[in-house]
């Protein structure tokens, strides 16, 4: 049996009745767009974070893009972030006309190296955009200090960190606003695309509601600044409401898989994920590191185990971002990682026998190196 790096089917088998009931509820409701389910999900997802506002949108990339726009980030502004992220983080910054400015990540946990941030601040810097990568949070205290000193806004990319905590504070509550993705693989995933931007600021919330709705006020239908249509779908919102009630359970499942991997592989040469101080990890992905990564992946092919690399190409080396002017060598940690990391299968319902198959296959391959 093939072991997939991610699979929603075991979960669907378990939750089928609830998921199909959610679909039926929306189809029978008489309101297919921006109805009760989107409103309900928005208030429940805001409440999950102890925040007042959440706006559902069509995907995580637009959640970042519209969030930045709502915070007033636009052409001419610089946004300090990392190249060691999913390309959509940078695509969204680019889409608002701002310039992404990268800093390197830390060798031990692959998260933004906050000691490099202040040197990247210029008179055009407007925003710090930490990415809570793989399921754990960036060190926020230094970022808050830098933001206060230079009057910058902090916008969190929480696409991989639903429910993660940092010194007790939840991902998404530590800046001016934050973006989430509900792409199916994510810690909270829809059965299709979805996203949301959360904040505690009513003015930001009002702007976001216009930005996802052609730029129009959804009560009076007036339009000041034209925007696109980026609405969250009712069906996905209703499914997300149900899954939100199980989010902590899913995370417990992920942590159990991570614990089994750590126990089964802790004595090998493989570098396992390291928990940064104060963090509760939600293990969106389980990323390991080894200098002979490519040989390991090649050898693992015969075990019928799918593995992923998140991410094989640092964003600053992608042809589409050549105009940013970074050369190879600019971010040594980020570049070294890209050649050495890979992800083991990770999802809450990953059967235990499959976890053990992964552990023994990896051990067998490491023994041949
Ligand atoms: C998934 C992801 C996104 C984009 O979300 P989509 O819903 O796929 O548009 C942005 N940033 C990070 C870090 C992600 O992992």
């Amino acid at each position: 049996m093939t072991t997939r790096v991610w699979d929603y089917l075991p979960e669907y088998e378990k939750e089928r009745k609830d998921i199909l009931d959610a679909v039926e509820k929306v189809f029978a409701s008489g309101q297919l767009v921006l109805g009760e389910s989107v409103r309900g999900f928005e208030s429940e997802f805001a409440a999950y974070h102890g925040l007042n506002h959440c706006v559902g949108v069509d995907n995580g990339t637009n959640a970042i893009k519209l969030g930045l726009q709502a915070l007033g980030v636009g052409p001419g502004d610089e946004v300090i972030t990392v190249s060691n992220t999913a390309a959509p983080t940078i695509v969204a910054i680019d889409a608002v006309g701002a310039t992404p400015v990268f800093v390197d990540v830390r060798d031990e946990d692959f998260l933004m190296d906050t000691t490099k941030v202040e040197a990247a601040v210029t008179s055009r810097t407007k925003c710090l955009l930490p990415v809570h990568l793989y399921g754990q949070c960036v060190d926020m205290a230094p970022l808050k200090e830098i933001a206060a000193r230079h009057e910058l806004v902090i916008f969190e990319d929480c696409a991989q960190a639903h429910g993660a905590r940092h010194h007790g504070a939840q991902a998404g509550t530590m800046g001016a606003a934050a973006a989430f993705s509900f792409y199916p693989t994510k810690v909270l995933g829809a059965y299709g695309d979805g996203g949301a931007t959360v904040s505690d600021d009513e003015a930001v919330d009002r702007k976001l509601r216009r930005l996802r709705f052609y730029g129009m006020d959804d009560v009076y239908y007036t339009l000041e600044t034209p925007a696109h249509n980026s609405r969250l779908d009712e069906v996905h919102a209703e499914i997300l409401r149900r899954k939100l009630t199980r989010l902590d359970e899913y995370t417990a499942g992920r942590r159990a898989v991570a614990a089994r991997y750590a126990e089964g592989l802790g004595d090998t040469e493989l570098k396992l994920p390291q928990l940064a101080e104060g963090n509760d990890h939600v293990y969106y992905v389980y990323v390991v590191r080894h200098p002979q990564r490519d040989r390991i992946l090649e050898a693992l092919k015969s075990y019928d185990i799918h593995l992923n690399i998140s991410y094989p190409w640092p964003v600053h080396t992608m042809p589409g971002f050549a105009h940013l002017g970074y050369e190879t060598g600019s971010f040594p940690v980020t570049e070294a990682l890209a050649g050495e990391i890979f992800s083991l299968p990770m999802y809450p319902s990953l059967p235990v026998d499959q976890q053990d198959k992964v552990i023994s296959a990896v051990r067998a391959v490491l023994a041949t190196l």
Side-chain angles (χ1 to χ4, degrees):
M1 187 183 169
T2 304
T3 302
R4 301 176 68 186
V5 70
W6 175 80
D7 192 356
Y8 72 93
L9 288 173
E11 176 191 290
Y12 181 56
E13 276 313 307
K14 236 168 73 184
E15 302 181 0
R16 180 182 210 118
K17 241 183 118 254
D18 191 42
I19 302 298
L20 293 181
D21 183 66
V23 175
E24 163 67 15
K25 181 181 168 189
V26 171
F27 284 8
S29 72
Q31 193 168 14
L32 294 172
V33 175
L34 290 190
E36 192 197 313
S37 296
V38 167
R39 280 194 298 276
F41 174 68
E42 288 174 343
S43 69
E44 288 151 16
F45 197 64
Y48 180 81
H49 293 91
L51 295 172
N52 284 313
H53 301 288
C54 167
V55 176
V57 296
D58 51 352
N59 57 64
T61 311
N62 278 334
I64 301 169
K65 178 185 149 196
L66 304 189
L68 288 173
Q69 285 177 327
L71 291 176
V73 177
D77 296 331
E78 292 177 354
V79 177
I80 299 177
T81 188
V82 288
S83 170
N84 188 46
T85 181
T89 309
I90 311 310
V91 169
I93 296 169
D94 185 69
V96 305
T99 303
V101 173
F102 301 126
V103 295
D104 211 348
V105 293
R106 303 194 291 207
D107 198 57
E108 61 275 18
D109 54 22
F110 319 154
L111 296 168
M112 177 185 254
D113 184 346
T114 56
T115 66
K116 299 255 158 64
V117 171
E118 193 144 33
V121 174
T122 72
S123 59
R124 305 203 311 169
T125 307
K126 179 91 181 236
C127 176
L128 307 181
L129 197 155
V131 180
H132 302 317
L133 199 72
Y134 303 155
Q136 69 171 330
C137 295
V138 170
D139 190 8
M140 294 300 288
L143 288 190
K144 286 182 183 176
E145 276 174 37
I146 295 164
R149 217 163 18 243
H150 299 275
E151 294 180 35
L152 311 173
V153 289
I154 296 179
F155 186 87
E156 302 171 75
D157 181 343
C158 300
Q160 308 191 355
H162 314 65
R165 283 180 182 270
H166 180 64
H167 296 289
Q170 246 172 298
T173 67
M174 298 180 281
F180 289 85
S181 164
F182 307 119
Y183 182 73
T185 64
K186 307 286 175 166
V187 177
L188 178 61
Y191 278 65
D193 278 307
T197 310
V198 299
S199 77
D200 233 351
D201 183 329
E202 198 178 336
V204 168
D205 183 71
R206 259 200 315 276
K207 280 190 200 152
L208 279 165
R209 288 179 189 282
R210 286 177 177 267
L211 285 165
R212 72 153 176 208
F213 191 70
Y214 321 120
M216 279 182 359
D217 182 304
D218 60 4
V219 178
Y220 299 108
Y221 290 86
T222 58
L223 194 153
E224 285 161 17
T225 310
H228 290 196
N229 165 9
S230 309
R231 297 182 291 246
L232 174 63
D233 190 88
E234 277 289 287
V235 169
H236 295 304
E238 187 58 33
I239 291 172
L240 286 166
R241 291 178 82 175
R242 318 262 174 131
K243 289 189 65 174
L244 180 59
T245 66
R246 299 188 282 269
L247 175 55
D248 295 341
E249 212 177 291
Y250 298 139
T251 300
R254 290 177 180 275
R255 287 182 178 143
V257 177
R260 199 168 186 91
Y261 282 154
E263 197 183 308
L265 296 168
D267 62 337
T268 66
E269 303 266 281
L270 214 55
K271 211 173 146 220
L272 305 184
Q274 282 192 42
L275 200 59
E277 202 211 316
N279 273 352
D280 290 334
H281 207 307
V282 296
Y283 296 103
Y284 166 57
V285 282
Y286 193 89
V287 175
V288 298
R289 182 176 185 179
H290 195 285
Q292 297 190 70
R293 189 265 317 273
D294 292 339
R295 272 187 67 188
I296 295 173
L297 291 195
E298 189 55 37
L300 278 170
K301 278 185 184 158
S302 64
Y303 291 86
D304 207 16
I305 297 170
H306 291 183
L307 300 153
N308 232 354
I309 300 173
S310 302
Y311 298 91
W313 305 109
V315 177
H316 71 278
T317 66
M318 291 178 173
F321 290 111
H323 62 278
L324 297 176
Y326 292 100
E327 302 191 344
T328 302
S330 308
F331 306 108
V333 181
T334 298
E335 290 166 30
L337 282 178
E340 298 185 358
I341 55 167
F342 63 104
S343 312
L344 302 184
M346 171 56 84
Y347 52 95
S349 53
L350 179 66
V352 172
D353 61 328
Q354 305 260 330
Q355 298 171 38
D356 290 342
K357 174 184 153 192
V358 172
I359 291 167
S360 55
V362 170
R363 292 192 76 92
V365 166
L366 289 172
T368 66
L369 294 180

